[in-house]
Amino acid sequence: MNVLGIETSCDETSVAIVRDGREILSNIISSQADLHALYGGVVPEIASRRHVEAINPSVEQALSQAGLGWDGLDAVAVTNRPGLVGALLVGVAAAKSIAFARNLPIVGVHHLEGHIFANTLAHPSLEMPFLCLIVSGGHTDIVVVRGYGKYERLGRTRDDASGEAFDKVARLLELPYPGGPNVQKLAETGNPSAFPFPRADLDGSLDFSFSGLKTAVLRLLQKEPDANRADVAASFQSAVVDVLVAKTIRAAEQTGLMTIAMGGGVASNGPLREAMKSAGDGLGIGVFWPPPVLCTDNAAMIASAGYHRLSTLGPDPLTIDTMATAVL
Ligand code: KG4
Ligand code: ZN
């Protein structure tokens, strides 16, 4: 079954075709990052307009790269929640038009399901149940994935998401948007022990808080304007990684689950991957992550999650709506 996936929840227009939930035939990603870099973050109205321009060419490219015509498609999956409503609407309108014109089933996918199922897409042998750390620009969640549609959230951020913290600290360090990869790069030459930034434990809870950390970086830069930027980046990154690893490992110990998967843009962070892997190795816990292109927003993960949704829950009506917020 060939599923056409569409993702437009934020600042990437992406269209992919995935066979049977695991074989990527095409995965076109048109990033708007350069457009938003000017403003230091995503401007919703600009995002919607750019999606409108990019969606049709992206669908055509996805078909041609997969070597398929319209007849080669069996279903359409689209991110319809959560995200910027104006941005989501573009993808959902395109998906509905294709489904209606070609008489294909349509499924609305939760964006975070996409980030979770990027792992099974990348590692077909990965078996449920597993623990998933979702770390993106909008979310930082620890979720037990028991099966498709069977999720239990054990922890979430109480304020900023981890990716948001990377982006805000990048701004303080005068690094361009998107901040995460640039902070990681600058941190490579810095000393992670230079500044003892706070690691919020929240009384042993599996929830996260990154706003105090962001404020600590701000205060330091106000007090010591000449502080070594690479040392600040490395010390900040190390504080984020320490907390993400400690809480995810704690969740594994509490649930007895021996497999940890990671998804979302921050899961492409090298030091996070290394630290999670070495903590897991010490306890016999398997640690998985998708390649970077499947960590950040992409439609292949949506097509894959859509395939599983279609197989377990069946199609949605053509009247599906967009939602700015939605629980998993
Ligand atoms: O999953 P994603 O592409 O979009 C959302 O669903 O939000 O994640 C984007 C976030 C941004 O905050 C970006 O700075 C962060 O992921 N990110 C990283 C890295 N690559 C992307 N953060 C840390 N290290 C990275 N290498
Ligand atoms: Zn995302």
Side-chain angles (χ1 to χ4, degrees):
M1 174 185 267
N2 295 332
V3 177
L4 179 85
I6 298 181
E7 156 66 42
T8 63
S9 67
C10 191
D11 61 344
E12 262 97 25
T13 314
S14 182
V15 182
I17 300 174
V18 175
R19 180 169 291 160
D20 296 335
R22 33 190 55 165
E23 191 192 340
I24 301 175
L25 304 185
S26 59
N27 189 19
I28 307 299
I29 303 167
S30 159
S31 174
Q32 311 177 354
D34 290 353
L35 224 60
H36 300 288
L38 212 61
Y39 308 95
V42 178
V43 183
E45 184 57 29
I46 293 177
S48 314
R49 287 173 193 219
R50 182 69 193 123
H51 284 309
V52 170
E53 288 162 7
I55 191 71
N56 286 348
S58 301
V59 171
E60 277 158 25
Q61 269 186 55
L63 282 167
S64 82
Q65 202 177 90
L68 295 175
W70 293 106
D71 288 344
L73 298 179
D74 300 300
V76 183
V78 60
T79 308
N80 72 326
R81 64 196 192 280
L84 303 169
V85 166
L88 288 167
L89 271 172
V90 178
V92 169
K96 285 181 179 179
S97 314
I98 295 167
F100 181 67
R102 303 299 308 175
N103 197 22
L104 296 173
I106 187 171
V107 277
V109 173
H110 193 293
H111 183 75
L112 296 189
E113 279 184 323
H115 281 309
I116 292 171
F117 283 88
N119 281 283
T120 52
L121 179 59
H123 307 286
S125 60
L126 182 63
E127 285 192 14
M128 291 179 263
F130 59 81
L131 208 56
C132 192
L133 173 69
I134 307 171
V135 272
S136 70
H139 294 86
T140 300
D141 290 355
I142 299 177
V143 177
V144 179
V145 181
R146 300 200 187 283
Y148 186 86
K150 295 185 185 142
Y151 316 113
E152 185 189 337
R153 188 168 71 180
L154 304 180
R156 64 178 169 89
T157 182
R158 293 189 187 170
D159 40 57
D160 292 352
S162 48
E164 195 180 351
F166 267 98
D167 294 337
K168 287 179 175 169
V169 166
R171 276 173 91 160
L172 296 176
L173 293 171
E174 291 164 12
L175 296 169
Y177 174 84
N182 291 312
V183 171
Q184 181 185 331
K185 192 147 188 300
L186 180 61
E188 277 164 20
T189 56
N191 172 9
S193 316
F195 302 104
F197 289 131
R199 283 132 170 93
D201 183 62
L202 308 175
D203 298 325
S205 143
L206 294 176
D207 283 351
F208 299 93
S209 166
F210 294 106
S211 74
L213 171 58
K214 175 197 65 193
T215 307
V217 175
L218 173 66
R219 295 272 177 271
L220 173 89
L221 291 171
Q222 284 170 338
K223 218 171 91 201
E224 295 179 43
D226 296 327
N228 180 297
R229 294 287 200 260
D231 286 350
V232 176
S235 302
F236 159 77
Q237 179 176 256
S238 154
V240 175
V241 168
D242 279 359
V243 172
L244 292 176
V245 172
K247 298 213 174 213
T248 310
I249 294 289
R250 193 181 297 160
E253 287 172 339
Q254 286 178 7
T255 55
L257 290 169
M258 297 302 280
T259 310
I260 291 173
M262 299 196 284
V266 183
S268 48
N269 183 270
L272 171 63
R273 292 172 167 203
E274 285 156 28
M276 193 71 84
K277 176 92 175 67
S278 83
D281 281 351
L283 297 164
I285 295 171
V287 177
F288 296 82
W289 55 76
V293 69
L294 296 179
C295 282
T296 44
D297 290 349
N298 68 89
M301 68 183 193
I302 301 303
S304 179
Y307 167 83
H308 294 293
R309 185 175 177 91
L310 204 56
S311 324
T312 46
L313 303 176
D316 286 321
L318 254 184
T319 50
I320 52 165
D321 212 345
T322 55
M323 282 170 245
T325 56
V327 288
L328 192 60

